[in-house]
């Protein structure tokens, strides 16, 4: 059976009959390894379409989770502001890059610290997500663009992809903090 899926904002733009046939399905990279898939309903998505999408994700061997249409869905809505808070700690000189990352790795059980992850994802990606969220949701206090992030992006230090961000990089091998 045909299942229309949409991972863009087009389904949010109209209450037309067509928009009732769309839902948002967010896979994580690398898709072949990551099990989680966020299935998000817009205000217009019909319950039947949403349930079909949810069951389809389960059928293909992934673990679906349900959420409403919110910036970043679940994972990135929690993750990106967390990375921003780590950057704000750098802005305030509360702790070093190394100490922030090792604290979250050993104290919270994360596989890598938030600044390591930001470098890995790409500081430009983090910047444009946060910039877009702050423009669209100016009253949301968890959406901020840290000064150190803006400066690094302005300087072209985008993390792993350019060899320098919060850390020095040699390809995919992370080096010492900058």
């Amino acid at each position: 059976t045909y299942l229309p899926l949409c991972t863009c904002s087009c389904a949010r733009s109209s209450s037309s009959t067509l928009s009732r046939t769309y839902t948002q399905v967010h896979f994580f990279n690398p898709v072949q390894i990551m099990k989680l898939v966020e299935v998000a309903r817009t205000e217009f998505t019909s319950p039947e379409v949403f349930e079909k999408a949810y069951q389809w994700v389960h059928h293909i061997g992934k673990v679906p989770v349900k959420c409403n249409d919110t910036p970043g869905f679940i994972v990135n809505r929690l993750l990106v502001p967390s990375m921003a808070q780590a950057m704000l700690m750098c802005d305030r000189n509360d702790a070093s890059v190394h100490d922030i990352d090792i604290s979250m790795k050993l104290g919270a059980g994360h596989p890598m610290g938030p600044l390591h992850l930001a470098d890995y994802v790409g500081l430009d990606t983090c910047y444009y997500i946060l910039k877009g969220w702050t423009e669209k949701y100016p009253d949301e206090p968890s959406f901020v663009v840290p000064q150190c992030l803006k400066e690094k992006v302005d300087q072209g230090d985008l993390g792993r992809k350019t060899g320098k961000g919060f850390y020095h990089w040699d390809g995919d091998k992370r080096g010492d903090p900058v």
Side-chain angles (χ1 to χ4, degrees), residues 59-177:
H59 176 76
I60 64 170
K62 301 291 184 180
V63 177
V65 293
K66 299 176 183 180
C67 70
N68 290 327
D69 185 21
T70 185
F73 304 124
I74 298 170
V75 172
N76 288 325
R77 177 67 183 259
L78 296 170
L79 184 63
V80 174
S82 172
M83 290 189 290
Q85 286 299 312
M87 294 173 201
L88 289 170
M89 290 185 77
C90 290
D91 282 348
R92 294 187 304 263
N93 292 312
D94 290 339
S96 70
V97 169
H98 172 267
D99 289 343
I100 291 167
D101 276 354
I102 200 73
S103 293
M104 293 308 292
K105 190 173 176 182
L106 299 180
H110 293 189
M112 67 181 72
L115 301 170
H116 178 173
L117 180 59
D119 263 10
Y120 194 81
V121 167
L123 298 182
D124 54 336
T125 300
C126 296
Y127 174 77
Y128 288 113
I129 289 169
L130 286 166
K131 186 173 184 291
W133 286 356
T134 58
E135 289 170 359
K136 189 166 183 179
Y137 305 98
D139 297 328
E140 173 57 56
S142 62
F143 298 161
V144 296
V145 178
Q147 187 61 36
C148 65
L149 177 61
K150 184 176 181 338
E151 289 171 0
K152 287 182 182 300
V153 170
D154 287 348
Q155 294 167 5
D157 296 334
L158 308 180
R160 177 180 55 95
K161 65 177 87 176
T162 61
K164 183 179 174 189
F166 288 100
Y167 291 90
H168 294 283
W169 291 83
D170 182 11
D172 283 345
K173 186 176 187 292
R174 191 199 80 194
D176 291 331

